Amino acid sequence: MSLNPSKVAPEPEPEPEPEREAAPGPGSEAQGPGPESERGPRAGAQAPPVLEASPAPASRSEAPPAPRPRCRTNCLEAPLSRAFRRLGAKVGAHPWLFLLLPVALTAVLGTGLMYLPRNAEEDLEEQYTPVGSPAKAERRFVQGHFTASDALMFSISRKSTEVPYASVLLVSNTETLLEPDILEEISKVDDAVQALTVTQDNGTLIPYSEVCTKSQGSCVPPNPLLFAWKRNKGLNLRTITFPMYSIAGHVVSLANILGGTVLGESMGPSQLLLQAKAMRLQYYLETGEGKENEHSKAWIIHFLTKAGSLEESLALKKIQVVHSSSLSRQLEFEATSMTVIPLFHLAYTLIIVFAIVSCYRCDCVQNKMWVAVFGVISTAKAVVSGFGLMLYVGVPFVLIVANSPFLILGVGVDDMFIMVSAWQKTSLTDSTAERMSDVYSKVAVSITITTVTNVLAFYTGVMTSFRSVQYFCIYTGTTLLFCYFYSITCFGACMALDGKREVVCLRWLKKPETPDQKCSSLKKSCCLPGSSLQDEYKADIHPMNLFFRDYFCPFLTNTKSKVFVVLLYISYIITSLCGCFRVQEGLDLRNLASHDSYIIPYFNVEEERFSTYGPRVMVIVTEVLDYWDKDARQKLEKCLADFENSEYVDGNVTEFWLREYVKYMENVRQDINDKTAFLSNIPTFLMEFPLFAFDINITSSQGIICSRAFIQTMGISSSTNKKLMLLQFRDMAEKCDVPLMVYNPAFIYFDQFSAIVENTVRNVFVASAAMFIVSLLLIPHPLCSLWVTFAIASVIVGVTGFMAFWNANLDSISMINLVICIGFSFDFSAHISYAFVSSSEPSVNRKAIEALYMLGYPVLQSAVSTVIGVCVLSAAKAYIFRTFFKIMFLVMVFGAAHGLIFIPVFLTFF
């Protein structure tokens, strides 16, 4: 987004007073003795209009006072302006060269789009969880030290990674499903699922019994309570205990397989189960290589096609059925990418219409309708080139990158608006090369400044721990560079060619008519609403600039209006700060699917009915420990007791082999404190308790390298509680005298809750520092830099706070937008504040009026063009795209509000 005073109106500098300083924006040649000042006023040009409150020329021409030292330099601007002046002359002299070479480059780089992934699976863990997170290191430790063979026994809590599964949640239409008639309907669903058989293209049949995970030769029951009832329908449903229940002498956990429970009196470590509103049927499938994995995947896909109609096909009256699977998030996430493709066409259509309306003039000479269309095409070429280059060099294309073209479309055309506006302020009597030289000297530095700031803001996103954010920022930053390159070459060449058309059209209009010519009416219609010849030497002042100067600015600088603006800002910042404390952290996995996906009801039921208990967490002793030593055992028990006393743990459901082994040794009358007795009795103990064999890593030298216990989490339904639980557990493990580690496969995703804030704050600070440095170098005025920093901080607080009110989480998608927020905040505030502090007007109110007169419309136009580019995403079904629109909309609204309202008013107080 590039803003420049030359975009809207000529500098208010009367011809008799050349030394007067108007209030240029960054990159304007009036900031220093650039090439334009060396040439002097163009011969024959009329003086541009002067603001009404401008001081009389005679007041300073007679005895000019010694100029006050100014805290600014043009050591970078002046050389850049001269270099761009020369480039503009080259483009004007050789337009076809600068037009065709970028087209050829686009054609070459565009071939990289053939590497665009089609039907490729996107690794959600790789893209949307922190790189190098602690949980990934913990998983590697578990995988390297504990076996998890399913050949004899199956235990889901002992798995280090997610096991393929198909899941069905059943919700009773009555108060409880612990009734025989309701369990009959649930049994029908179970039988129907287990009867599903896949028929492959070659005729091979894949029944459930072939792909199910087996324990002791049989498929693992999807629900132990339902399995017990189907085997014994006389089971007393009034004596079930929760969360632990003994079935045929085996104690099983019902914590995550029954939901919406109502409990009665305590019965040992559990309580009597009075009611249960929901039940989970979990069908675990085989994992492995080759055919096993392919068959399991094929069965899951077949399950997903049939499960949606189970309630209707089985004529279920007393229960509701929702379903999901281990593949659902992946499949639904990939499906969302197809929903956004039609929006590309709509976005480009809207931008083309907006560009035409913005550049349209009612005469054939100044009309830039087709130039505007080519400006949008130039932006599209930048997308093709940038994406093609990134695909060539092997940067992965992830779904979140599909947001980038919408953003680039809105931002890229802004350079086109600036160049067209500057062109229309040149003289028709000059040659095309001279006009292009004049345009480039006025706007190219401004375009360069804002391109540098926006690209820097994106490239700082590479520092984040999330791969998806890194790839988005690389794609978008690189494409913005192509937008800049094509603007000063390809689009400039198009303007030069259109300038040649203007000359031809102007000659035609000047040509005197003869009585036999019939084109008088055509000439008149071409020149509506006035004659082009009459306006040939006049500045082209847009009506919106007059609106800002004559209506908006006087109203804004009124004392009552200032008081209202201050109160409005106080309300804004208080509301924003309140929202900042309500923002939810982390990416909710249900948001990876479309809002009408079948997994949304599944997650809703799970959150409503199964949120009391969370995952079972491994507490791992990571080093060799003398378990037969009483002191060592006491230290370990103390640490385990600390975990059990946590508000996030149900201390009655802990599972630890050592506690059972101590009881076992007491029963067999062996000395637990004797090393030989301790180690020699372990094999017989494991024969009686075979599951514990997965929890002890014993070497051939009879040393226990590591072991683990299991604790049951509870009360962690919110992202905040998940983060606090994870941080608390790791802190407890670190403080324990025994080396401990905590792990569960869900921690891979929980890590994002703690990493997202740290990453966001770091990226925001780094990007803000980069913006501050750029502002000092290219618009070097200390007061301006301070106001830029203030605006950046204020807009970020506002966007973050209002995210909470618009149900947008602080996740990897919103993190991208907060980084973008920095670049746009810079664009909106830097030029307004610099125009203010550089103004030579005598009063602060007049300074504010002059700044908004020159830059108010560009700020508004920039915000509108960007909103139009992303507004179509509001109609997308996917959370990723809707969130991108929401936050970009907030960024544009708050950024424009600061540039047009808050900053001008606050500047008048100092």
Side-chain angles (χ1 to χ4, degrees):
M1 181 182 308
S2 306
L3 308 175
N4 192 285
S6 62
K7 179 175 180 181
V8 291
E11 298 166 359
E13 181 180 354
E15 192 172 353
E17 188 183 60
E19 61 268 82
R20 174 188 173 185
E21 275 191 311
S28 171
E29 57 187 272
Q31 294 173 10
E36 184 68 35
S37 59
E38 294 170 4
R39 289 198 317 163
R42 195 165 34 245
Q46 296 183 8
V50 184
L51 292 176
E52 295 176 3
S54 299
S59 63
R60 291 189 290 174
S61 60
E62 297 177 358
R68 291 184 300 170
R70 303 295 294 268
C71 272
R72 59 176 182 166
T73 72
N74 62 350
C75 58
L76 291 178
E77 291 175 68
L80 281 174
S81 183
R82 287 191 291 268
F84 280 119
R85 176 177 289 279
R86 290 191 291 270
L87 176 62
K90 294 289 186 183
V91 173
H94 309 285
W96 286 108
L97 177 65
F98 287 90
L99 177 65
L100 296 179
L101 285 180
V103 171
L105 179 62
T106 302
V108 172
L109 294 178
T111 58
L113 296 178
M114 65 184 179
Y115 297 108
L116 197 66
R118 293 175 177 83
N119 302 321
E121 292 186 2
E122 189 165 314
D123 190 339
L124 300 184
E125 178 187 313
E126 175 70 15
Q127 304 303 333
Y128 296 95
T129 61
V131 176
S133 66
K136 293 178 181 178
E138 293 158 1
R139 179 173 61 187
R140 288 192 295 271
F141 182 91
V142 172
Q143 292 173 334
H145 291 80
F146 296 99
T147 61
S149 173
D150 298 332
L152 297 177
M153 299 289 290
F154 174 80
S155 174
I156 188 62
S157 60
R158 288 169 170 81
K159 293 292 185 179
S160 60
T161 58
E162 187 179 64
V163 175
Y165 67 85
S167 182
V168 177
L169 299 182
L170 307 115
V171 183
S172 173
N173 294 328
T174 61
E175 291 184 351
T176 180
L177 50 70
L178 299 178
E179 300 291 344
D181 54 341
I182 297 179
L183 291 179
E184 282 287 357
E185 285 201 350
I186 296 176
S187 182
K188 286 183 183 180
V189 174
D190 179 39
D191 293 340
V193 171
Q194 297 197 38
L196 293 175
T197 300
V198 180
T199 304
Q200 293 188 306
D201 294 337
N202 59 6
T204 304
L205 299 179
I206 307 175
Y208 171 73
S209 58
E210 181 180 321
V211 296
C212 68
T213 295
K214 296 179 175 61
S215 180
Q216 297 180 339
S218 302
C219 291
V220 175
N223 184 295
L225 181 61
L226 179 66
F227 179 74
W229 182 83
K230 289 174 72 173
R231 297 186 64 180
N232 176 21
K233 295 191 176 181
L235 182 69
N236 189 345
L237 300 175
R238 299 290 180 265
T239 59
I240 298 174
T241 56
F242 188 87
M244 306 303 294
Y245 179 53
S246 178
I247 301 177
H250 296 283
V251 178
V252 297
S253 173
L254 304 180
N256 283 311
I257 61 176
L258 290 180
T261 56
V262 177
L263 304 179
E265 61 181 299
S266 297
M267 301 184 68
S270 299
Q271 292 178 270
L272 188 66
L273 181 62
L274 301 180
Q275 294 178 2
K277 184 73 173 177
M279 177 179 287
R280 184 195 307 270
L281 302 182
Q282 199 86 347
Y283 301 89
Y284 294 107
L285 305 181
E286 289 283 357
T287 57
E289 302 295 332
K291 287 187 176 181
E292 285 186 358
N293 193 43
E294 291 299 322
H295 286 183
S296 295
K297 183 177 179 179
W299 191 89
I300 289 177
I301 293 175
H302 182 64
F303 162 82
L304 294 176
T305 61
K306 299 294 184 181
S309 59
L310 283 177
E311 192 171 338
E312 181 179 353
S313 61
L314 297 177
L316 302 177
K317 304 295 185 183
K318 299 180 180 180
I319 57 174
Q320 301 172 26
V321 180
V322 292
H323 66 284
S324 183
S325 75
S326 55
L327 293 180
S328 292
R329 289 194 301 265
Q330 182 78 44
L331 296 174
E332 290 298 291
F333 182 74
E334 292 168 359
T336 59
S337 62
M338 302 305 297
T339 65
V340 78
I341 292 177
L343 300 180
F344 280 110
H345 308 98
L346 179 58
Y348 274 85
T349 301
L350 290 176
I351 285 293
I352 288 174
V353 171
F354 178 74
I356 290 174
V357 171
S358 297
C359 299
Y360 182 76
R361 295 293 184 272
C362 293
D363 65 75
C364 62
V365 176
Q366 292 186 333
N367 185 25
K368 290 291 178 286
M369 181 175 65
W370 296 111
V371 173
V373 173
F374 191 85
V376 179
I377 295 174
S378 180
T379 303
K381 286 167 53 186
V383 174
V384 173
S385 300
F387 280 38
L389 177 61
M390 291 299 96
L391 290 168
Y392 259 129
V393 299
V395 180
F397 183 92
V398 296
L399 179 60
I400 198 172
V401 175
N403 285 295
S404 182
F406 296 96
L407 174 66
I408 293 167
L409 181 62
V411 176
V413 297
D414 195 50
D415 293 346
M416 177 261 294
F417 291 139
I418 284 185
M419 296 178 71
V420 169
S421 182
W423 172 271
Q424 290 176 335
K425 292 175 176 58
T426 60
S427 173
L428 286 168
T429 60
D430 287 344
S431 68
T432 301
E434 288 177 326
R435 297 178 74 184
M436 290 299 298
S437 178
D438 195 33
V439 168
Y440 274 49
S441 68
K442 288 181 178 179
V443 304
V445 174
S446 179
I447 292 174
T448 301
I449 291 173
T450 50
T451 298
V452 168
T453 56
N454 286 325
V455 170
L456 276 177
F458 279 107
Y459 280 161
T460 56
V462 178
M463 299 170 52
T464 184
S465 300
F466 295 85
R467 296 287 189 199
S468 57
V469 178
Q470 293 176 358
Y471 299 147
F472 176 89
C473 291
I474 292 173
Y475 270 90
T476 308
T478 303
T479 305
L480 285 177
L481 287 176
F482 275 101
C483 276
Y484 169 73
F485 175 68
Y486 287 163
S487 292
I488 62 177
T489 55
C490 186
F491 180 71
C494 176
M495 287 181 57
L497 292 173
D498 189 72
K500 296 179 183 295
R501 178 201 62 80
E502 288 185 0
V503 173
V504 174
C505 187
L506 185 62
R507 288 174 181 170
W508 179 71
L509 288 171
K510 284 183 175 180
K511 185 177 180 180
E513 303 218 2
T514 60
D516 58 335
Q517 287 181 315
K518 305 298 183 181
C519 60
S520 177
S521 59
L522 177 60
K523 284 188 179 182
K524 289 180 181 179
S525 63
C526 286
C527 298
L528 288 175
S531 171
S532 292
L533 299 179
Q534 172 183 320
D535 298 331
E536 183 177 346
Y537 301 107
K538 289 188 177 180
D540 182 19
I541 302 178
H542 197 282
M544 284 298 297
N545 301 107
L546 299 178
F547 165 77
F548 275 99
R549 187 190 67 183
D550 298 335
Y551 299 99
F552 181 78
C553 298
F555 172 78
L556 189 66
T557 53
N558 180 277
T559 302
K560 293 182 180 179
S561 298
K562 290 182 181 180
V563 173
F564 175 77
V565 168
V566 171
L567 295 176
L568 179 65
Y569 182 78
I570 293 173
S571 302
Y572 158 81
I573 205 68
I574 291 175
T575 305
S576 300
L577 289 172
C578 292
C580 288
F581 292 102
R582 297 178 52 184
V583 173
Q584 294 292 316
E585 302 163 16
L587 181 64
D588 189 339
L589 294 180
R590 82 184 73 186
N591 290 332
L592 296 176
S594 300
H595 63 80
D596 57 353
S597 169
Y598 63 88
I599 69 173
I600 301 301
Y602 178 91
F603 279 116
N604 291 340
V605 170
E606 191 171 51
E607 182 178 32
E608 181 182 1
R609 303 296 181 185
F610 294 88
S611 60
T612 301
Y613 287 94
R616 289 175 66 81
V617 175
M618 305 177 194
V619 180
I620 306 164
V621 182
T622 59
E623 297 179 8
V624 175
L625 182 70
D626 296 335
Y627 293 91
W628 51 86
D629 182 78
K630 185 176 181 180
D631 290 339
R633 290 201 307 273
Q634 287 178 345
K635 290 179 181 178
L636 183 56
E637 280 292 342
K638 179 180 180 303
C639 295
L640 203 56
D642 290 339
F643 280 102
E644 291 174 328
N645 291 331
S646 168
E647 66 269 30
Y648 301 116
V649 175
D650 185 343
N652 296 319
V653 197
T654 302
E655 184 181 5
F656 189 24
W657 70 271
L658 185 58
R659 290 178 178 175
E660 297 300 325
Y661 189 53
V662 170
K663 295 177 184 178
Y664 173 82
M665 293 291 281
E666 292 175 353
N667 291 336
V668 296
R669 301 180 185 277
Q670 294 290 325
D671 184 6
I672 191 68
N673 298 315
D674 180 72
K675 177 180 178 180
T676 303
F678 187 97
L679 293 174
S680 61
N681 282 277
I682 287 181
T684 54
F685 166 74
L686 295 179
M687 291 179 63
E688 188 169 338
F689 300 92
L691 266 181
F692 288 139
F694 298 129
D695 303 334
I696 310 172
N697 186 343
I698 305 179
T699 64
S700 56
S701 59
Q702 294 294 296
I704 300 178
I705 297 177
C706 54
S707 70
R708 60 185 174 184
F710 297 88
I711 55 177
Q712 177 64 58
T713 59
M714 61 185 299
I716 59 168
S717 58
S718 70
S719 60
T720 300
N721 286 346
K722 287 182 175 72
K723 180 184 74 172
L724 294 176
M725 177 271 293
L726 186 58
L727 295 176
Q728 184 188 90
F729 283 7
R730 286 177 176 159
D731 183 61
M732 288 179 178
E734 185 178 353
K735 291 180 178 178
C736 180
D737 293 333
V738 177
L740 295 182
M741 173 189 292
V742 291
Y743 174 71
N744 181 277
F747 286 4
I748 300 293
Y749 293 95
F750 289 3
D751 265 335
Q752 64 166 319
F753 300 130
S754 56
I756 195 73
V757 175
E758 175 189 343
N759 276 261
T760 302
V761 171
R762 182 178 66 243
N763 289 342
V764 166
F765 270 105
V766 171
S768 300
M771 299 303 101
F772 185 76
I773 293 171
V774 170
S775 67
L776 286 177
L777 290 175
L778 297 178
I779 44 175
H781 195 296
L783 182 60
C784 177
S785 298
L786 290 175
W787 280 111
V788 169
T789 305
F790 163 78
I792 289 174
S794 181
V795 173
I796 288 175
V797 170
V799 172
T800 305
F802 277 79
M803 281 167 47
F805 302 122
W806 212 348
N807 298 321
N809 291 356
L810 181 59
D811 49 36
S812 55
I813 292 96
S814 52
M815 183 200 301
I816 290 172
N817 290 272
L818 291 177
V819 172
I820 296 172
C821 179
I822 297 169
F824 287 126
S825 301
F826 178 93
D827 294 343
F828 284 134
S829 59
H831 300 279
I832 291 287
S833 58
Y834 190 79
F836 180 94
V837 299
S838 301
S839 173
S840 58
E841 291 292 338
S843 69
V844 289
N845 283 349
R846 295 303 304 173
K847 288 176 183 284
I849 291 174
E850 185 177 47
L852 285 174
Y853 166 62
M854 293 190 301
L855 295 172
Y857 182 51
V859 167
L860 184 62
Q861 192 178 40
S862 300
V864 171
S865 65
T866 305
V867 169
I868 288 176
V870 300
C871 71
V872 295
L873 295 178
S874 63
K877 294 182 178 180
Y879 166 86
I880 287 178
F881 300 113
R882 294 197 310 274
T883 298
F884 193 86
F885 158 73
K886 288 178 181 179
I887 302 182
M888 282 305 304
F889 181 82
L890 292 176
V891 169
M892 290 299 105
V893 170
F894 293 155
H898 279 72
L900 297 176
I901 301 174
F902 297 138
I903 294 293
V905 169
F906 294 162
L907 283 169
T908 63
F909 297 148
F910 298 93

